[in-house]
Structure formats: C-alpha cells, structure tokens
Amino acid sequence: MTLKNSRQMRNSPMSKTQETVLEINLKYLTHNFDYVKSKLADTTKFMAVVKAFAYGNAADAIANHLQNIGVDYFAVAYTQEGVALRDAGVTKPILVLHPQPVNFKLLIAYGLEPNLYSTKVLDGFIALAEDQNQTDYPVHLKFNTGLNRLGFTENDVDAVISKLKATNAVNIASVFSHLVASEDTDAYDFTTTQIQTFKSICARVSKQLNYAFLRHLCNTSGILNYPEAHFDMVRSGIGVYGFGNSDKENNNLIPIASLKSIISQIHTINAGESVGYNRAYKSDSVRTIATIPIGHADGISRTYGNGKGFVSIHNKKAPIIGNVCMDMIMVDVTGINCKESDEVILFDRKYTAEQLAKTTGTIAYELITAISQRVKRRIVK
Ligand SMILES: *Cc1c(COP(=O)(O)O)cnc(C)c1O
C-alpha cells in the first residue's frame, strides 16, 4: 500500500457503505440497557438474552459490551451458544434455556447453567453431575404456567424438590417461568393468573429448601407492563436490541442494528419488460430499476418480494419488485435521484426492522434473527 493510499484509508469516513453490512451501534445498546434497567428496583438483577447470535446481531461483541456495563446474567437457547460466549471472553453466569442431554458434558466443561425443565432432563443432569463428583452445580428450574412449551407443572414441585434434596451435586440457582402474552394488553387477566401461579410455585419451593434462589418471570414486555412481577431478576432480549413491542416503548428505545447495502447496478426498462426470475414483475411504463447485493441467503425472505417490502435510498422508499433472488433484490427507484454505489437502507433506527417485518405480517424478532452470518457485522463504538 502506498503512503497516499494508507492516508486515504485513515481519512475515509468509517461509515461509508461499500457492501452489504449490518452495523451495530454499542452506544444505542447502552442506551437501551439503561432504559430497561431504569424500570427495575436497584436489587433486581438483569439477565440479557443473547440467544441466536444476540438476536442476529453479534453475540460476542454484544455480550462483552453488556458485561462491561453491568449485566448480571446471560441467557442463550442452546449449549453451543454458551460455549461461543465463553470462547469470546464472557465470564458472567450463562443460563442455557433449552439444553439437550447430549450436550451436558460440554455444558459443564464450560461452566454453563442448565434449565432443567422435565423429569428426563433433571434425572440425566443429576446423574452426570454425581458421576463427575460435582457439588452444588448451579441449575435452574423452569415451570410451565400457561405457555405449554417447556417446564414442570405446579403439581411436580414436591417430586422435583425431593429429588434435588437427595443430592449434593446440584444447587437451585433460580426458579423461573415465561409469560405467554406480556405485550398484549388484552391478556391482562391471563398474565395476572400466570403471575399468581408463579408466586405460588416459588412459595412451595421456598418452603422446602433451606437456601435462597432467584425467581424470574418477565421478558422485555413483561418488564415494561408488569412492574409488580419483576421478582429477583428479569430477562430482556428484544428491549436491549431496541424494540419495545409497542409504539410508546419503541420511542424510548433505539434499534441498535442498521442493515445497509449499496446500489450495484441501475437499469432502465421499457413498458412490457420484466424484472427477475420467472418474469414476476412486468412494467407498464418506463422504469428505473436498481439491483442491491442482498437476497434470501442473507435473510431477506422471498416473502418481501413482489412489492411487499421496501428499502430506502436517500430517504425515499423503493419497493422490492419481482422475486427476491438468493444474492440480490431489485427495487424500483423511478423518480429517486440515485446512482450506482449509493447507499441503500434495509432497516435502521428510522426505517425500522419492525416496519419492514410488518410488510409481510411478521415481527422484528424474526427479521433480525434471520440476517445470515454471510452479512458482515460492523461494530460502532
Ligand atoms: C427469548 C426469551 C426471552 C427474551 O424475550 P424478549 O421478548 O426478547 O425480551 C426471555 N425468556 C425466555 C424464556 C426466552 O425464551
């Protein structure tokens, strides 16, 4: 590299987009963490949910940043996700929400903490922990209070606790459950019943144990809508990434990720010409079409094609036309003053992932977690 080139590189603005990139802003992450934390009592612990690559963002950078700014606990879905966090330098406790017995050895080797949600999983884990001469290995008990997904029922409390009291190998670090419809104001009565059931389960566990454990129930919307149900810890995922599941809360949070790309090429087509595979788009007039290097292999599903989804270019909306290809989309930029290499926004804090998701009837959770590992992550500090 010549001196001139290296100087140019140093002087060029970091933010100039030259390819498809998912830009992750750690300042916004701090803002969201602080906002969610401001809803908690000082003694309530904060568990950040960083499963699925921190909701598609970048689990290593996000977990390390959250660890530095004071998160107490992490949660992932699967054992391998916890292993990756340990390899990335995360030292805080990590709850594995949905471990499979086949991974228990690995889980213990990396000091991860399993959710024990069924008799089979409980028995399997105790047997292994005893076999390894573990003492007081931290485990978490999940109870089903209505979601009917994972967990023991209230009727299982006595049997579960007597098994746990019969061994020194494990120690109950927490008892938890998960809300069914915490974002849904129409489900207030159902949620209140869940909270009551959870309280009753915790009281029964507590009565039989001579040591303390953490109780936790709320996800992000639970934290925001049910302050009376924070217990000892809360579990926030979507909130720390900048979505509050309501217009009101979205105003208090900042989406941390911007999915950006560029215009690779521009074509002008005449009436009667088509764009993309299977001629799914046919023009009825002269149109200007831009090709963008992002496709369904990057996480922009085919459902966004044929005029449903859109991108923004110079703050103007350009609909995705025709079928989404594996590596490309074509958008209609007729009337937008743009040229090849110009920046394209798929979503950012203004054109949010939630808005784009809505164009196909899905939710921000699905869109952001789908952004594939092929897309380069750029961390902004
Ligand atoms: C994913 C998950 C969360 C996080 O929910 P958000 O709505 O993203 O805050 C919390 N608890 C459990 C059990 C989960 O699976």
Side-chain angles (χ1 to χ4, degrees), residues 38-53:
S38 76
K39 301 290 168 185
L40 311 180
D42 288 347
T43 49
T44 307
K45 291 183 189 296
F46 196 117
M47 174 183 273
V49 181
V50 292
K51 61 195 179 192
F53 302 104

Side-chain angles (χ1 to χ4, degrees), residues 151-177:
F152 293 106
T153 63
E154 187 169 7
N155 293 333
D156 298 324
V157 169
D158 294 348
V160 169
I161 299 303
S162 66
K163 275 186 189 178
L164 289 161
K165 283 173 86 170
T167 178
N168 293 324
V170 301
N171 181 72
I172 302 173
S174 85
V175 170
F176 74 110
S177 185

Side-chain angles (χ1 to χ4, degrees), residues 77-323:
Y78 302 119
T79 302
Q80 289 294 353
E81 297 178 316
V83 169
L85 288 186
R86 287 279 182 255
D87 285 345
V90 172
T91 52
K92 292 276 178 184
I94 300 172
L95 163 60
V96 181
L97 291 165
H98 198 175
Q100 304 300 326
V102 67
N103 297 315
F104 279 164
K105 277 193 180 142
L106 185 66
L107 180 146
I108 292 178
Y110 279 81
L112 308 172
E113 304 179 5
N115 165 20
L116 305 180
Y117 52 85
S118 71
T119 304
K120 185 157 192 263
V121 169
L122 176 77
D123 290 348
F125 193 80
I126 291 176
L128 178 66
E130 285 180 340
D131 196 49
Q132 292 193 356
N133 297 314
Q134 298 284 345
T135 50
D136 291 338
Y137 196 94
V139 299
H140 302 258
L141 293 181
K142 184 161 199 186
F143 285 89
N144 172 18
T145 54
L147 186 57
N148 293 321
R149 191 172 74 172
L150 287 184
F152 293 106
T153 63
E154 187 169 7
N155 293 333
D156 298 324
V157 169
D158 294 348
V160 169
I161 299 303
S162 66
K163 275 186 189 178
L164 289 161
K165 283 173 86 170
T167 178
N168 293 324
V170 301
N171 181 72
I172 302 173
S174 85
V175 170
F176 74 110
S177 185
H178 195 32
L179 295 174
V180 169
S182 57
E183 69 274 43
D184 188 350
T185 43
D186 294 339
Y188 181 80
D189 290 347
F190 187 87
T191 304
T192 303
T193 305
Q194 274 197 283
I195 296 168
Q196 290 313 320
T197 307
F198 182 64
K199 273 190 187 159
S200 145
I201 290 167
C202 290
R204 285 178 66 174
V205 174
S206 185
K207 221 169 156 185
Q208 298 188 50
L209 286 187
N210 55 5
Y211 60 88
F213 55 89
L214 298 171
R215 299 163 301 157
H216 48 111
L217 178 65
C218 285
N219 66 336
T220 300
S221 292
I223 297 166
L224 300 172
N225 296 332
Y226 296 90
E228 70 277 21
H230 291 176
F231 298 98
D232 306 309
M233 182 158 72
V234 296
R235 305 185 302 270
S236 182
I238 202 79
V240 298
Y241 308 114
F243 300 92
N245 294 333
S246 73
D247 291 341
K248 174 175 164 271
E249 294 297 351
N250 283 344
N251 286 331
N252 296 318
L253 297 161
I254 310 173
I256 66 165
S258 302
L259 182 58
K260 301 175 173 183
S261 190
I262 58 165
I263 297 176
S264 291
Q265 194 175 14
I266 290 180
H267 300 280
T268 302
I269 60 166
N270 292 316
E273 284 198 78
S274 63
V275 174
Y277 286 129
N278 306 104
R279 309 198 68 195
Y281 173 85
K282 284 202 180 103
S283 70
D284 52 13
S285 57
V286 175
R287 312 296 303 173
T288 313
I289 306 301
T291 303
I292 321 297
I294 187 166
H296 63 71
D298 302 292
I300 304 302
S301 133
R302 289 179 88 252
T303 58
Y304 290 99
N306 297 310
K308 281 205 170 150
F310 60 87
V311 302
S312 61
I313 299 171
H314 302 312
N315 279 311
K316 297 213 166 68
K317 280 189 180 185
I320 301 171
I321 55 167
N323 287 318

Side-chain angles (χ1 to χ4, degrees), residues 16-23 258-264 291-295 298-300 327-329 344 346 371-378:
K16 172 121 171 64
T17 305
Q18 294 176 296
E19 63 182 329
T20 301
V21 63
L22 187 71
E23 195 175 272
S258 302
L259 182 58
K260 301 175 173 183
S261 190
I262 58 165
I263 297 176
S264 291
T291 303
I292 321 297
I294 187 166
D298 302 292
I300 304 302
D327 314 307
M328 282 167 255
I329 53 174
V344 175
L346 278 290
I371 303 309
S372 79
Q373 295 300 301
R374 183 166 80 171
V375 175
K376 188 187 269 182
R377 269 66 176 166
R378 184 202 284 155

